[in-house]
Amino acid sequence: MRYFVYGTLLDHQVRQIVLGTAAANRLTETPALLYGYRCVTAAGATYPILRRAPGGEVTGAILDGVSKEMAAKLADYEGDNYRVTTHTVEVEGRQVTAQVFVPSGRLSGGPEWDLARWRKMHKSEFLKQIRGE
């Protein structure tokens, strides 16, 4: 299966914790764009959510080779506030379909989310949380 990831799942260490190191290392990651959305910070949190936005685009990556077991782990990581939908994304100038986690409507968003800022300000504490420390 093919998944478009954005936000914290763009970070390889996060993927290693979520999927296990061996599984995360087997996946092929390719830069990709999702059109018609914005990536914003979830209200009261440090992670992002997608919001529909005509003319918007979200920079992310395609993960190719996601097994059913990995897909279940990704769904567990994302939780009940997300649903998986199929979208067309741009990869290396071509259109492909991929699974995308989108908010189920119960989450609200704030300002634009930035991966570099998240890594600098929040990643360390976030890794502790998902490791259960």
Side-chain angles (χ1 to χ4, degrees), residues 39-79:
C39 187
V40 299
T41 304
T46 65
Y47 58 84
I49 59 173
L50 293 178
R51 279 289 176 242
R52 285 198 179 275
E57 67 180 50
V58 176
T59 300
I62 287 292
L63 299 180
D64 267 320
V66 175
S67 68
K68 287 183 181 182
E69 180 182 87
M70 286 185 233
K73 288 180 179 182
L74 291 171
D76 186 53
Y77 170 73
E78 294 294 355

PDB file of all heavy atoms in Angstrom, residues 39-79:
ATOM      1  N   CYS A  39      -1.708  22.405   5.937  1.00  0.00           N
ATOM      2  CA  CYS A  39      -1.246  21.669   7.113  1.00  0.00           C
ATOM      3  C   CYS A  39      -1.153  22.687   8.252  1.00  0.00           C
ATOM      4  O   CYS A  39      -0.331  23.602   8.209  1.00  0.00           O
ATOM      5  CB  CYS A  39       0.118  21.041   6.818  1.00  0.00           C
ATOM      6  SG  CYS A  39       0.717  19.955   8.115  1.00  0.00           S
ATOM      7  N   VAL A  40      -2.036  22.551   9.244  1.00  0.00           N
ATOM      8  CA  VAL A  40      -2.101  23.507  10.345  1.00  0.00           C
ATOM      9  C   VAL A  40      -1.881  22.790  11.681  1.00  0.00           C
ATOM     10  O   VAL A  40      -2.089  21.580  11.782  1.00  0.00           O
ATOM     11  CB  VAL A  40      -3.444  24.269  10.369  1.00  0.00           C
ATOM     12  CG1 VAL A  40      -3.645  25.064   9.085  1.00  0.00           C
ATOM     13  CG2 VAL A  40      -4.613  23.329  10.607  1.00  0.00           C
ATOM     14  N   THR A  41      -1.468  23.533  12.675  1.00  0.00           N
ATOM     15  CA  THR A  41      -1.262  22.983  14.006  1.00  0.00           C
ATOM     16  C   THR A  41      -2.616  22.686  14.642  1.00  0.00           C
ATOM     17  O   THR A  41      -3.509  23.535  14.640  1.00  0.00           O
ATOM     18  CB  THR A  41      -0.472  23.976  14.879  1.00  0.00           C
ATOM     19  OG1 THR A  41       0.755  24.280  14.222  1.00  0.00           O
ATOM     20  CG2 THR A  41      -0.177  23.392  16.250  1.00  0.00           C
ATOM     21  N   ALA A  42      -2.771  21.490  15.181  1.00  0.00           N
ATOM     22  CA  ALA A  42      -4.011  21.131  15.876  1.00  0.00           C
ATOM     23  C   ALA A  42      -4.142  22.008  17.117  1.00  0.00           C
ATOM     24  O   ALA A  42      -3.161  22.265  17.823  1.00  0.00           O
ATOM     25  CB  ALA A  42      -3.987  19.660  16.273  1.00  0.00           C
ATOM     26  N   ALA A  43      -5.346  22.470  17.377  1.00  0.00           N
ATOM     27  CA  ALA A  43      -5.598  23.332  18.539  1.00  0.00           C
ATOM     28  C   ALA A  43      -5.154  22.634  19.818  1.00  0.00           C
ATOM     29  O   ALA A  43      -5.485  21.470  20.043  1.00  0.00           O
ATOM     30  CB  ALA A  43      -7.071  23.692  18.609  1.00  0.00           C
ATOM     31  N   GLY A  44      -4.349  23.321  20.614  1.00  0.00           N
ATOM     32  CA  GLY A  44      -3.899  22.786  21.889  1.00  0.00           C
ATOM     33  C   GLY A  44      -2.863  21.695  21.798  1.00  0.00           C
ATOM     34  O   GLY A  44      -2.630  20.974  22.767  1.00  0.00           O
ATOM     35  N   ALA A  45      -2.233  21.533  20.630  1.00  0.00           N
ATOM     36  CA  ALA A  45      -1.274  20.445  20.439  1.00  0.00           C
ATOM     37  C   ALA A  45      -0.058  20.969  19.671  1.00  0.00           C
ATOM     38  O   ALA A  45      -0.025  22.127  19.267  1.00  0.00           O
ATOM     39  CB  ALA A  45      -1.925  19.297  19.677  1.00  0.00           C
ATOM     40  N   THR A  46       0.923  20.085  19.455  1.00  0.00           N
ATOM     41  CA  THR A  46       2.093  20.461  18.664  1.00  0.00           C
ATOM     42  C   THR A  46       2.122  19.745  17.324  1.00  0.00           C
ATOM     43  O   THR A  46       2.997  20.011  16.514  1.00  0.00           O
ATOM     44  CB  THR A  46       3.401  20.147  19.424  1.00  0.00           C
ATOM     45  OG1 THR A  46       3.513  18.729  19.597  1.00  0.00           O
ATOM     46  CG2 THR A  46       3.434  20.840  20.768  1.00  0.00           C
ATOM     47  N   TYR A  47       1.202  18.836  17.087  1.00  0.00           N
ATOM     48  CA  TYR A  47       1.172  18.074  15.834  1.00  0.00           C
ATOM     49  C   TYR A  47       0.211  18.734  14.844  1.00  0.00           C
ATOM     50  O   TYR A  47      -0.636  19.538  15.230  1.00  0.00           O
ATOM     51  CB  TYR A  47       0.779  16.620  16.087  1.00  0.00           C
ATOM     52  CG  TYR A  47      -0.551  16.462  16.765  1.00  0.00           C
ATOM     53  CD1 TYR A  47      -1.742  16.466  16.039  1.00  0.00           C
ATOM     54  CD2 TYR A  47      -0.634  16.293  18.148  1.00  0.00           C
ATOM     55  CE1 TYR A  47      -2.970  16.321  16.653  1.00  0.00           C
ATOM     56  CE2 TYR A  47      -1.859  16.148  18.773  1.00  0.00           C
ATOM     57  CZ  TYR A  47      -3.017  16.163  18.027  1.00  0.00           C
ATOM     58  OH  TYR A  47      -4.236  16.026  18.650  1.00  0.00           O
ATOM     59  N   PRO A  48       0.317  18.378  13.564  1.00  0.00           N
ATOM     60  CA  PRO A  48      -0.527  19.021  12.553  1.00  0.00           C
ATOM     61  C   PRO A  48      -1.772  18.208  12.199  1.00  0.00           C
ATOM     62  O   PRO A  48      -1.860  17.017  12.474  1.00  0.00           O
ATOM     63  CB  PRO A  48       0.398  19.087  11.346  1.00  0.00           C
ATOM     64  CG  PRO A  48       1.162  17.814  11.448  1.00  0.00           C
ATOM     65  CD  PRO A  48       1.402  17.613  12.938  1.00  0.00           C
ATOM     66  N   ILE A  49      -2.682  18.917  11.568  1.00  0.00           N
ATOM     67  CA  ILE A  49      -3.846  18.297  10.939  1.00  0.00           C
ATOM     68  C   ILE A  49      -4.017  18.924   9.563  1.00  0.00           C
ATOM     69  O   ILE A  49      -3.469  19.995   9.291  1.00  0.00           O
ATOM     70  CB  ILE A  49      -5.139  18.474  11.771  1.00  0.00           C
ATOM     71  CG1 ILE A  49      -5.466  19.962  11.979  1.00  0.00           C
ATOM     72  CG2 ILE A  49      -5.032  17.745  13.095  1.00  0.00           C
ATOM     73  CD1 ILE A  49      -6.817  20.212  12.633  1.00  0.00           C
ATOM     74  N   LEU A  50      -4.760  18.268   8.715  1.00  0.00           N
ATOM     75  CA  LEU A  50      -5.077  18.817   7.405  1.00  0.00           C
ATOM     76  C   LEU A  50      -6.400  19.563   7.475  1.00  0.00           C
ATOM     77  O   LEU A  50      -7.330  19.132   8.155  1.00  0.00           O
ATOM     78  CB  LEU A  50      -5.211  17.697   6.372  1.00  0.00           C
ATOM     79  CG  LEU A  50      -3.954  16.920   6.014  1.00  0.00           C
ATOM     80  CD1 LEU A  50      -4.296  15.821   5.007  1.00  0.00           C
ATOM     81  CD2 LEU A  50      -2.872  17.832   5.472  1.00  0.00           C
ATOM     82  N   ARG A  51      -6.464  20.670   6.734  1.00  0.00           N
ATOM     83  CA  ARG A  51      -7.697  21.421   6.561  1.00  0.00           C
ATOM     84  C   ARG A  51      -7.879  21.667   5.073  1.00  0.00           C
ATOM     85  O   ARG A  51      -6.929  22.040   4.375  1.00  0.00           O
ATOM     86  CB  ARG A  51      -7.622  22.775   7.276  1.00  0.00           C
ATOM     87  CG  ARG A  51      -7.896  22.702   8.729  1.00  0.00           C
ATOM     88  CD  ARG A  51      -9.388  22.404   8.926  1.00  0.00           C
ATOM     89  NE  ARG A  51      -9.684  22.224  10.317  1.00  0.00           N
ATOM     90  CZ  ARG A  51     -10.165  21.103  10.849  1.00  0.00           C
ATOM     91  NH1 ARG A  51     -10.398  20.057  10.096  1.00  0.00           N
ATOM     92  NH2 ARG A  51     -10.435  21.021  12.113  1.00  0.00           N
ATOM     93  N   ARG A  52      -9.091  21.447   4.592  1.00  0.00           N
ATOM     94  CA  ARG A  52      -9.371  21.735   3.183  1.00  0.00           C
ATOM     95  C   ARG A  52      -9.105  23.211   2.916  1.00  0.00           C
ATOM     96  O   ARG A  52      -9.460  24.061   3.715  1.00  0.00           O
ATOM     97  CB  ARG A  52     -10.812  21.415   2.840  1.00  0.00           C
ATOM     98  CG  ARG A  52     -11.076  19.936   2.732  1.00  0.00           C
ATOM     99  CD  ARG A  52     -12.377  19.689   1.968  1.00  0.00           C
ATOM    100  NE  ARG A  52     -12.615  18.276   1.848  1.00  0.00           N
ATOM    101  CZ  ARG A  52     -12.101  17.505   0.898  1.00  0.00           C
ATOM    102  NH1 ARG A  52     -11.332  18.028  -0.023  1.00  0.00           N
ATOM    103  NH2 ARG A  52     -12.380  16.223   0.850  1.00  0.00           N
ATOM    104  N   ALA A  53      -8.475  23.479   1.775  1.00  0.00           N
ATOM    105  CA  ALA A  53      -8.158  24.853   1.397  1.00  0.00           C
ATOM    106  C   ALA A  53      -8.003  24.922  -0.119  1.00  0.00           C
ATOM    107  O   ALA A  53      -6.998  24.459  -0.662  1.00  0.00           O
ATOM    108  CB  ALA A  53      -6.873  25.312   2.077  1.00  0.00           C
ATOM    109  N   PRO A  54      -8.996  25.461  -0.823  1.00  0.00           N
ATOM    110  CA  PRO A  54      -8.866  25.590  -2.267  1.00  0.00           C
ATOM    111  C   PRO A  54      -7.572  26.336  -2.605  1.00  0.00           C
ATOM    112  O   PRO A  54      -7.259  27.361  -2.009  1.00  0.00           O
ATOM    113  CB  PRO A  54     -10.091  26.406  -2.670  1.00  0.00           C
ATOM    114  CG  PRO A  54     -11.083  26.142  -1.567  1.00  0.00           C
ATOM    115  CD  PRO A  54     -10.256  25.996  -0.319  1.00  0.00           C
ATOM    116  N   GLY A  55      -6.794  25.774  -3.512  1.00  0.00           N
ATOM    117  CA  GLY A  55      -5.530  26.382  -3.895  1.00  0.00           C
ATOM    118  C   GLY A  55      -4.376  26.054  -2.960  1.00  0.00           C
ATOM    119  O   GLY A  55      -3.242  26.416  -3.227  1.00  0.00           O
ATOM    120  N   GLY A  56      -4.653  25.369  -1.863  1.00  0.00           N
ATOM    121  CA  GLY A  56      -3.603  25.030  -0.907  1.00  0.00           C
ATOM    122  C   GLY A  56      -2.820  23.805  -1.344  1.00  0.00           C
ATOM    123  O   GLY A  56      -3.227  23.066  -2.239  1.00  0.00           O
ATOM    124  N   GLU A  57      -1.673  23.630  -0.719  1.00  0.00           N
ATOM    125  CA  GLU A  57      -0.885  22.422  -0.973  1.00  0.00           C
ATOM    126  C   GLU A  57      -0.116  22.063   0.287  1.00  0.00           C
ATOM    127  O   GLU A  57       0.260  22.929   1.076  1.00  0.00           O
ATOM    128  CB  GLU A  57       0.054  22.571  -2.155  1.00  0.00           C
ATOM    129  CG  GLU A  57       1.180  23.544  -1.973  1.00  0.00           C
ATOM    130  CD  GLU A  57       2.067  23.616  -3.204  1.00  0.00           C
ATOM    131  OE1 GLU A  57       1.554  23.775  -4.326  1.00  0.00           O
ATOM    132  OE2 GLU A  57       3.294  23.514  -3.022  1.00  0.00           O
ATOM    133  N   VAL A  58       0.085  20.769   0.469  1.00  0.00           N
ATOM    134  CA  VAL A  58       0.808  20.249   1.629  1.00  0.00           C
ATOM    135  C   VAL A  58       1.996  19.450   1.118  1.00  0.00           C
ATOM    136  O   VAL A  58       1.845  18.544   0.303  1.00  0.00           O
ATOM    137  CB  VAL A  58      -0.101  19.347   2.499  1.00  0.00           C
ATOM    138  CG1 VAL A  58       0.687  18.725   3.639  1.00  0.00           C
ATOM    139  CG2 VAL A  58      -1.281  20.150   3.033  1.00  0.00           C
ATOM    140  N   THR A  59       3.174  19.810   1.618  1.00  0.00           N
ATOM    141  CA  THR A  59       4.380  19.062   1.300  1.00  0.00           C
ATOM    142  C   THR A  59       4.473  17.874   2.248  1.00  0.00           C
ATOM    143  O   THR A  59       4.314  18.020   3.457  1.00  0.00           O
ATOM    144  CB  THR A  59       5.624  19.961   1.475  1.00  0.00           C
ATOM    145  OG1 THR A  59       5.497  21.068   0.593  1.00  0.00           O
ATOM    146  CG2 THR A  59       6.894  19.198   1.159  1.00  0.00           C
ATOM    147  N   GLY A  60       4.701  16.717   1.692  1.00  0.00           N
ATOM    148  CA  GLY A  60       4.816  15.507   2.496  1.00  0.00           C
ATOM    149  C   GLY A  60       5.657  14.491   1.768  1.00  0.00           C
ATOM    150  O   GLY A  60       6.543  14.846   0.991  1.00  0.00           O
ATOM    151  N   ALA A  61       5.344  13.238   2.012  1.00  0.00           N
ATOM    152  CA  ALA A  61       6.079  12.153   1.364  1.00  0.00           C
ATOM    153  C   ALA A  61       5.157  10.968   1.154  1.00  0.00           C
ATOM    154  O   ALA A  61       4.219  10.745   1.917  1.00  0.00           O
ATOM    155  CB  ALA A  61       7.279  11.731   2.206  1.00  0.00           C
ATOM    156  N   ILE A  62       5.461  10.222   0.108  1.00  0.00           N
ATOM    157  CA  ILE A  62       4.796   8.955  -0.133  1.00  0.00           C
ATOM    158  C   ILE A  62       5.636   7.872   0.524  1.00  0.00           C
ATOM    159  O   ILE A  62       6.853   7.825   0.342  1.00  0.00           O
ATOM    160  CB  ILE A  62       4.683   8.679  -1.648  1.00  0.00           C
ATOM    161  CG1 ILE A  62       3.627   9.589  -2.273  1.00  0.00           C
ATOM    162  CG2 ILE A  62       4.353   7.209  -1.920  1.00  0.00           C
ATOM    163  CD1 ILE A  62       2.213   9.296  -1.850  1.00  0.00           C
ATOM    164  N   LEU A  63       4.994   7.021   1.291  1.00  0.00           N
ATOM    165  CA  LEU A  63       5.633   5.823   1.818  1.00  0.00           C
ATOM    166  C   LEU A  63       5.089   4.655   1.014  1.00  0.00           C
ATOM    167  O   LEU A  63       3.896   4.358   1.058  1.00  0.00           O
ATOM    168  CB  LEU A  63       5.319   5.629   3.300  1.00  0.00           C
ATOM    169  CG  LEU A  63       5.766   6.729   4.259  1.00  0.00           C
ATOM    170  CD1 LEU A  63       5.374   6.364   5.686  1.00  0.00           C
ATOM    171  CD2 LEU A  63       7.257   6.979   4.155  1.00  0.00           C
ATOM    172  N   ASP A  64       5.954   4.021   0.251  1.00  0.00           N
ATOM    173  CA  ASP A  64       5.575   2.859  -0.545  1.00  0.00           C
ATOM    174  C   ASP A  64       5.970   1.590   0.195  1.00  0.00           C
ATOM    175  O   ASP A  64       7.006   1.556   0.853  1.00  0.00           O
ATOM    176  CB  ASP A  64       6.271   2.869  -1.904  1.00  0.00           C
ATOM    177  CG  ASP A  64       5.428   3.525  -2.969  1.00  0.00           C
ATOM    178  OD1 ASP A  64       4.207   3.302  -2.982  1.00  0.00           O
ATOM    179  OD2 ASP A  64       5.999   4.263  -3.789  1.00  0.00           O
ATOM    180  N   GLY A  65       5.125   0.572   0.070  1.00  0.00           N
ATOM    181  CA  GLY A  65       5.439  -0.714   0.677  1.00  0.00           C
ATOM    182  C   GLY A  65       4.847  -0.891   2.058  1.00  0.00           C
ATOM    183  O   GLY A  65       5.299  -1.737   2.826  1.00  0.00           O
ATOM    184  N   VAL A  66       3.821  -0.110   2.395  1.00  0.00           N
ATOM    185  CA  VAL A  66       3.177  -0.228   3.703  1.00  0.00           C
ATOM    186  C   VAL A  66       2.343  -1.510   3.725  1.00  0.00           C
ATOM    187  O   VAL A  66       1.435  -1.682   2.917  1.00  0.00           O
ATOM    188  CB  VAL A  66       2.294   1.005   4.003  1.00  0.00           C
ATOM    189  CG1 VAL A  66       1.536   0.838   5.306  1.00  0.00           C
ATOM    190  CG2 VAL A  66       3.140   2.282   4.022  1.00  0.00           C
ATOM    191  N   SER A  67       2.672  -2.393   4.640  1.00  0.00           N
ATOM    192  CA  SER A  67       1.933  -3.650   4.785  1.00  0.00           C
ATOM    193  C   SER A  67       0.652  -3.419   5.583  1.00  0.00           C
ATOM    194  O   SER A  67       0.455  -2.346   6.168  1.00  0.00           O
ATOM    195  CB  SER A  67       2.799  -4.675   5.512  1.00  0.00           C
ATOM    196  OG  SER A  67       2.992  -4.272   6.867  1.00  0.00           O
ATOM    197  N   LYS A  68      -0.212  -4.421   5.632  1.00  0.00           N
ATOM    198  CA  LYS A  68      -1.431  -4.315   6.435  1.00  0.00           C
ATOM    199  C   LYS A  68      -1.090  -4.115   7.905  1.00  0.00           C
ATOM    200  O   LYS A  68      -1.749  -3.350   8.609  1.00  0.00           O
ATOM    201  CB  LYS A  68      -2.305  -5.556   6.255  1.00  0.00           C
ATOM    202  CG  LYS A  68      -2.988  -5.615   4.926  1.00  0.00           C
ATOM    203  CD  LYS A  68      -3.894  -6.825   4.812  1.00  0.00           C
ATOM    204  CE  LYS A  68      -4.540  -6.862   3.443  1.00  0.00           C
ATOM    205  NZ  LYS A  68      -5.448  -7.988   3.294  1.00  0.00           N
ATOM    206  N   GLU A  69      -0.051  -4.800   8.378  1.00  0.00           N
ATOM    207  CA  GLU A  69       0.374  -4.643   9.774  1.00  0.00           C
ATOM    208  C   GLU A  69       0.861  -3.217  10.038  1.00  0.00           C
ATOM    209  O   GLU A  69       0.525  -2.609  11.054  1.00  0.00           O
ATOM    210  CB  GLU A  69       1.481  -5.646  10.100  1.00  0.00           C
ATOM    211  CG  GLU A  69       1.981  -5.536  11.535  1.00  0.00           C
ATOM    212  CD  GLU A  69       3.111  -6.504  11.815  1.00  0.00           C
ATOM    213  OE1 GLU A  69       4.281  -6.134  11.546  1.00  0.00           O
ATOM    214  OE2 GLU A  69       2.821  -7.616  12.294  1.00  0.00           O
ATOM    215  N   MET A  70       1.646  -2.674   9.115  1.00  0.00           N
ATOM    216  CA  MET A  70       2.122  -1.288   9.263  1.00  0.00           C
ATOM    217  C   MET A  70       0.954  -0.311   9.207  1.00  0.00           C
ATOM    218  O   MET A  70       0.914   0.655   9.968  1.00  0.00           O
ATOM    219  CB  MET A  70       3.128  -0.954   8.171  1.00  0.00           C
ATOM    220  CG  MET A  70       4.478  -1.571   8.346  1.00  0.00           C
ATOM    221  SD  MET A  70       5.583  -0.961   7.034  1.00  0.00           S
ATOM    222  CE  MET A  70       6.183  -2.498   6.393  1.00  0.00           C
ATOM    223  N   ALA A  71       0.006  -0.553   8.304  1.00  0.00           N
ATOM    224  CA  ALA A  71      -1.158   0.323   8.184  1.00  0.00           C
ATOM    225  C   ALA A  71      -1.940   0.339   9.495  1.00  0.00           C
ATOM    226  O   ALA A  71      -2.415   1.400   9.931  1.00  0.00           O
ATOM    227  CB  ALA A  71      -2.054  -0.133   7.034  1.00  0.00           C
ATOM    228  N   ALA A  72      -2.056  -0.811  10.150  1.00  0.00           N
ATOM    229  CA  ALA A  72      -2.751  -0.873  11.443  1.00  0.00           C
ATOM    230  C   ALA A  72      -1.994  -0.069  12.498  1.00  0.00           C
ATOM    231  O   ALA A  72      -2.606   0.618  13.323  1.00  0.00           O
ATOM    232  CB  ALA A  72      -2.912  -2.326  11.886  1.00  0.00           C
ATOM    233  N   LYS A  73      -0.667  -0.143  12.475  1.00  0.00           N
ATOM    234  CA  LYS A  73       0.137   0.634  13.434  1.00  0.00           C
ATOM    235  C   LYS A  73       0.009   2.128  13.170  1.00  0.00           C
ATOM    236  O   LYS A  73      -0.064   2.929  14.110  1.00  0.00           O
ATOM    237  CB  LYS A  73       1.606   0.205  13.375  1.00  0.00           C
ATOM    238  CG  LYS A  73       1.837  -1.165  13.980  1.00  0.00           C
ATOM    239  CD  LYS A  73       3.298  -1.560  13.897  1.00  0.00           C
ATOM    240  CE  LYS A  73       3.530  -2.925  14.515  1.00  0.00           C
ATOM    241  NZ  LYS A  73       4.943  -3.317  14.498  1.00  0.00           N
ATOM    242  N   LEU A  74      -0.013   2.518  11.904  1.00  0.00           N
ATOM    243  CA  LEU A  74      -0.211   3.930  11.573  1.00  0.00           C
ATOM    244  C   LEU A  74      -1.582   4.414  12.046  1.00  0.00           C
ATOM    245  O   LEU A  74      -1.707   5.501  12.608  1.00  0.00           O
ATOM    246  CB  LEU A  74      -0.068   4.156  10.064  1.00  0.00           C
ATOM    247  CG  LEU A  74       1.325   3.991   9.477  1.00  0.00           C
ATOM    248  CD1 LEU A  74       1.272   4.027   7.952  1.00  0.00           C
ATOM    249  CD2 LEU A  74       2.275   5.052  10.006  1.00  0.00           C
ATOM    250  N   ALA A  75      -2.610   3.596  11.831  1.00  0.00           N
ATOM    251  CA  ALA A  75      -3.955   3.965  12.268  1.00  0.00           C
ATOM    252  C   ALA A  75      -4.027   4.082  13.789  1.00  0.00           C
ATOM    253  O   ALA A  75      -4.671   4.998  14.318  1.00  0.00           O
ATOM    254  CB  ALA A  75      -4.975   2.943  11.770  1.00  0.00           C
ATOM    255  N   ASP A  76      -3.356   3.187  14.494  1.00  0.00           N
ATOM    256  CA  ASP A  76      -3.323   3.258  15.951  1.00  0.00           C
ATOM    257  C   ASP A  76      -2.626   4.537  16.400  1.00  0.00           C
ATOM    258  O   ASP A  76      -3.079   5.214  17.328  1.00  0.00           O
ATOM    259  CB  ASP A  76      -2.625   2.032  16.518  1.00  0.00           C
ATOM    260  CG  ASP A  76      -2.678   1.970  18.029  1.00  0.00           C
ATOM    261  OD1 ASP A  76      -3.793   2.057  18.587  1.00  0.00           O
ATOM    262  OD2 ASP A  76      -1.606   1.850  18.657  1.00  0.00           O
ATOM    263  N   TYR A  77      -1.529   4.886  15.754  1.00  0.00           N
ATOM    264  CA  TYR A  77      -0.784   6.106  16.070  1.00  0.00           C
ATOM    265  C   TYR A  77      -1.659   7.332  15.849  1.00  0.00           C
ATOM    266  O   TYR A  77      -1.702   8.240  16.682  1.00  0.00           O
ATOM    267  CB  TYR A  77       0.469   6.172  15.201  1.00  0.00           C
ATOM    268  CG  TYR A  77       1.208   7.485  15.264  1.00  0.00           C
ATOM    269  CD1 TYR A  77       1.944   7.845  16.385  1.00  0.00           C
ATOM    270  CD2 TYR A  77       1.193   8.369  14.181  1.00  0.00           C
ATOM    271  CE1 TYR A  77       2.635   9.050  16.435  1.00  0.00           C
ATOM    272  CE2 TYR A  77       1.887   9.559  14.223  1.00  0.00           C
ATOM    273  CZ  TYR A  77       2.601   9.902  15.352  1.00  0.00           C
ATOM    274  OH  TYR A  77       3.284  11.099  15.395  1.00  0.00           O
ATOM    275  N   GLU A  78      -2.365   7.380  14.740  1.00  0.00           N
ATOM    276  CA  GLU A  78      -3.205   8.542  14.427  1.00  0.00           C
ATOM    277  C   GLU A  78      -4.426   8.631  15.337  1.00  0.00           C
ATOM    278  O   GLU A  78      -4.879   9.719  15.649  1.00  0.00           O
ATOM    279  CB  GLU A  78      -3.627   8.516  12.955  1.00  0.00           C
ATOM    280  CG  GLU A  78      -2.487   8.690  11.984  1.00  0.00           C
ATOM    281  CD  GLU A  78      -1.826  10.063  12.033  1.00  0.00           C
ATOM    282  OE1 GLU A  78      -2.295  10.957  12.759  1.00  0.00           O
ATOM    283  OE2 GLU A  78      -0.828  10.242  11.320  1.00  0.00           O
ATOM    284  N   GLY A  79      -4.978   7.507  15.740  1.00  0.00           N
ATOM    285  CA  GLY A  79      -6.086   7.519  16.691  1.00  0.00           C
ATOM    286  C   GLY A  79      -7.451   7.694  16.057  1.00  0.00           C
ATOM    287  O   GLY A  79      -7.607   7.761  14.833  1.00  0.00           O
TER     288      GLY A  79
END
